[in-house]
Amino acid sequence: MTGVQNGFPLGPQPGVTYPIQVLYCGNCSLPIEYCEYYPEYEKCKLWLERNMPSEFERVLKLGEKEDGEGGGGEEEKKRQKRGGKGIMKARKKEDGPKQVCVSRAPRGKKKSVTVVTGLSTFDIDLKVASKFFGTKFACGSSVTGDDEIVIQGDVKDELFDIIPEKWPEIDEDSIEDLGDQKR
């Protein structure tokens, strides 16, 4: 019983074997006919050539047909990139001095916050560290900026003991006291 509803055919189509087998790329995890839309298409081609040579031949022939039909004389097809966060680029870490800086900044008349910077140079996750400080001191703690944690209250003196205890790779000599700072 094959019919048409809203312009789409219903039921099994003639010439199609069911269930439909979909082949996925081991590099980008997309179906292989969509690899060309992945930003690192060349790596997908290499994986396909090594692992599925027959499918690689078929994809290459399809690619040559498409280039031949609408080729406006361009040597390389320009890709439009959409979506923004398809591949996260790793941040480059500075090879500067590994130093944790602790300072106190006034907040209002009688209140203050403690600012900790430099933990990311030791490859410490700032969100985890912020959560640890918040529970340890029973106060608010948040990550502000690239490498800065703000802890509510004046807990600067306690940090000199707690940071090396929690993260042994940071010794007490690596922690610098900047005193009172303005934010």
Side-chain angles (χ1 to χ4, degrees):
M1 180 171 157
T2 307
V4 177
Q5 182 181 10
N6 297 334
F8 294 106
L10 296 175
Q13 301 301 308
V16 178
T17 57
Y18 293 93
I20 297 175
Q21 297 292 322
V22 179
L23 300 173
Y24 293 96
C25 175
N27 182 49
C28 65
S29 74
L30 294 172
I32 57 173
E33 51 270 4
Y34 292 103
C35 284
E36 66 180 286
Y37 302 109
Y38 190 68
E40 296 176 355
Y41 181 45
E42 296 304 317
K43 288 183 181 177
C44 291
K45 279 187 188 176
L46 292 173
W47 184 90
L48 204 58
E49 186 176 18
R50 268 188 269 119
N51 298 305
M52 297 182 187
S54 60
E55 292 298 319
F56 176 70
E57 297 284 330
R58 189 178 63 83
V59 169
L60 260 179
K61 287 179 185 174
L62 284 175
E64 289 172 3
K65 277 186 190 175
E66 289 173 5
D67 288 346
E69 288 174 2
E74 294 183 37
E75 289 179 12
E76 190 174 319
K77 190 171 147 185
K78 291 183 181 177
R79 288 199 191 289
Q80 180 178 6
K81 294 186 179 178
R82 293 185 178 171
K85 291 189 178 182
I87 294 179
M88 299 296 286
K89 295 182 180 173
R91 288 185 184 174
K92 295 180 181 175
K93 296 189 176 165
E94 301 92 32
D95 292 334
K98 288 188 170 189
Q99 187 78 27
V100 176
C101 299
V102 179
S103 63
R104 191 174 72 89
R107 186 179 75 91
K109 291 183 180 179
K110 295 182 180 179
K111 298 188 178 190
S112 62
V113 293
T114 304
V115 181
V116 180
T117 57
L119 285 175
S120 66
T121 59
F122 288 94
D123 293 329
I124 294 172
D125 188 6
L126 295 180
K127 287 184 181 179
V128 172
S130 173
K131 177 87 171 165
F132 170 73
F133 293 142
T135 54
K136 185 73 175 177
F137 300 122
C139 64
S141 176
S142 61
V143 178
T144 58
D146 276 346
D147 185 21
E148 182 179 76
I149 296 176
V150 175
I151 307 166
Q152 292 178 1
D154 183 7
V155 293
K156 183 175 67 170
D157 298 331
E158 289 92 340
L159 286 174
F160 289 101
D161 299 327
I162 290 172
I163 290 176
E165 184 181 309
K166 172 76 174 165
W167 295 285
E169 65 266 22
I170 304 174
D171 58 342
E172 291 185 23
D173 300 332
S174 301
I175 303 173
E176 183 182 354
D177 184 2
L178 297 179
D180 288 357
Q181 301 269 317
K182 281 198 170 183
R183 292 197 72 212

